[in-house]
Amino acid sequence: MGIATPLPRPTPRPSLVRSAMAGFLLLGSLVALLGALLPIWWYYVHFDLTTAGSYFLAFNLGLFTAAMLSRDLLSKLGLRRLLAAACFLAGATMLVLAAIVTPDLLVLPLVFLGFATGMLTTGLSWLMFDAMTAPMAAPILSLAGVFFGAGAVCFTLLIWATVHTLTAPGILMLTALPPVALGALYLRQRSLAQPLLQVAPLRLSMRATGSPAAVLLSLALFFQSGTEWTVGGWLAIYWIRRLGVSSEAALLALALYWITLTLAKLLAPRLPRVVRRVRWLAAGAAAVLFGCLLLLETAGVGGAAVGVLFLGGGLGAAYALILGMIGERFPYYHPGFFNGVLSLALIGGMLMPWSVGVLADASVIEWAIRVPAIGAVMVYLLLSALVLEARLAKMPRTSSSN
């Protein structure tokens, strides 16, 4: 996979930026779908925890398939049709899910929903290329993260607002409208052309992507996303099973988690200027573990809500640190590389929730919080190794200059 050399590109057209942000809004909604719908499906379809875990695995299978076929899909469909097809497939899949009442039959449509999500990820990665001029790269990536989180928040709040007025099929039919509308807009936008890239020599690509820093960052991103979406996928069910609250209260807790996570991702990049990375790592790890401890030990809604705040804030800070390190080590934006990063994040985000379904059904629902705690520890260990690797990499240059 090549790394693009810097290209002299004009200031990005506002229409492309708006199209990309609308896509990230939908992407966040698709990722949050299972976590927000599981409490509703729980009473409507009647599945066990292992089956719920298989839903994440099915979504992940579709996502992985789309990632493997991304180059062929882009070359055959083109950017505009790829984005439109992803949106239409997502909307159609939601309509199919609305008609199913048998737990096992939900698996196949979720594979197609994951495939649509993977297609959308590929299209957005290439769409971002035209917007990623050097001075605009950091703000646009940060904006994309905000819209992604906003999509998750809006979808969760939509389910919360309609939980007593609509059935599960009605909610799914309602949520099928936005992707279809966005797909129609993409199809009409003739300016979405596939960009031409200048690819760096293969030797440079191999040296960059095979470095210890790249491996550590990839693993950190895998566990980070897995931890984020394990909480996002199982938090509502955990609140219902562990605290005995209503599905409405559980969905509010889930919305609080997504809001806190998004705000932390937005605000945390300002911290490195005044806070050393080692202290930042320690504070973030402590916040995540303290949040998990509160969720595991408390028997009241208030303590659990505080745990959600600490958990979302700590995970958001870790994501901002990972994104900053990726920007330092790989300063050139390449849509193929970015698509691989996003796909890896999404795949990690669906494998860990599947493991919770297996462990929780065999043991207790507390695994919905224990697994994220283990994942968070792995993230901070990997980031600590990256900080140490960066310091060791600077030592020979310092000694040689003296």
Side-chain angles (χ1 to χ4, degrees), residues 93-145:
T93 305
M94 290 181 185
L95 292 177
V96 172
L97 288 171
I100 295 176
V101 296
T102 304
D104 293 339
L105 294 182
L106 290 172
V107 172
L108 184 58
L110 287 172
V111 173
F112 282 98
L113 187 64
F115 191 84
T117 304
M119 291 173 64
L120 182 62
T121 302
T122 299
L124 290 176
S125 301
W126 288 86
L127 177 60
M128 291 279 283
F129 177 72
D130 283 336
M132 296 296 285
T133 55
M136 295 293 293
I140 288 178
L141 280 176
S142 177
L143 190 63

Side-chain angles (χ1 to χ4, degrees), residues 28-43 47 56 151-163 168 171-172 175 229-237 240 247-248 250-255 258:
S29 301
L30 294 176
V31 169
L33 182 141
L34 277 174
L37 279 178
L38 280 180
I40 312 301
W41 272 336
W42 189 273
Y43 299 106
F47 50 81
F56 292 99
V153 173
C154 291
F155 186 86
T156 305
L157 289 178
L158 176 64
I159 305 300
W160 167 78
T162 57
V163 68
I171 292 173
L172 280 165
T175 56
W229 292 325
T230 299
V231 179
W234 286 98
L235 183 64
I237 291 292
I240 293 172
S247 56
E248 187 177 12
L251 287 170
L252 274 180
L254 181 60
W258 285 117

Side-chain angles (χ1 to χ4, degrees), residues 210-368:
S211 65
V215 174
L216 289 173
L217 277 171
S218 299
L219 289 173
L221 189 64
F222 181 89
F223 283 105
Q224 168 69 22
S225 301
T227 303
E228 283 185 20
W229 292 325
T230 299
V231 179
W234 286 98
L235 183 64
I237 291 292
Y238 179 80
W239 270 54
I240 293 172
R241 294 280 300 260
R242 177 72 168 77
L243 302 177
V245 300
S246 64
S247 56
E248 187 177 12
L251 287 170
L252 274 180
L254 181 60
L256 177 65
Y257 166 73
W258 285 117
I259 292 171
T260 307
L261 183 70
T262 303
L263 288 177
K265 290 179 179 180
L266 180 63
L267 299 176
R270 279 86 175 159
L271 293 179
R273 301 175 184 175
V274 294
V275 180
R276 295 180 61 185
R277 277 182 173 171
V278 175
R279 295 178 181 176
W280 189 8
L281 282 171
V288 172
L289 293 178
F290 182 65
C292 290
L293 181 64
L294 281 177
L295 284 167
L296 287 171
E297 298 299 330
T298 187
V301 173
V306 174
V308 170
L309 291 174
F310 274 95
L311 188 55
L315 290 176
Y319 179 85
L321 184 56
I322 293 174
L323 195 63
M325 288 183 172
I326 289 176
E328 291 176 2
R329 299 301 181 94
F330 306 98
Y332 301 140
Y333 177 88
H334 186 286
F337 176 74
F338 191 65
N339 177 47
V341 168
L342 275 180
S343 298
L344 179 67
L346 290 172
I347 290 170
M350 294 301 155
L351 280 179
M352 287 178 63
W354 165 70
S355 68
V356 169
V358 175
L359 293 170
D361 197 54
S363 181
V364 290
I365 192 61
E366 278 77 8
W367 279 106

Side-chain angles (χ1 to χ4, degrees), residues 36-78:
L37 279 178
L38 280 180
I40 312 301
W41 272 336
W42 189 273
Y43 299 106
Y44 182 75
V45 182
H46 306 294
F47 50 81
D48 56 28
L49 296 180
T50 301
T51 304
S54 69
Y55 296 158
F56 292 99
L57 188 62
F59 187 95
N60 188 69
L61 177 61
L63 179 66
F64 180 77
T65 304
M68 294 297 99
L69 299 176
S70 60
R71 186 183 298 272
D72 293 333
L73 290 171
L74 186 64
S75 62
K76 291 179 179 179
L77 296 176

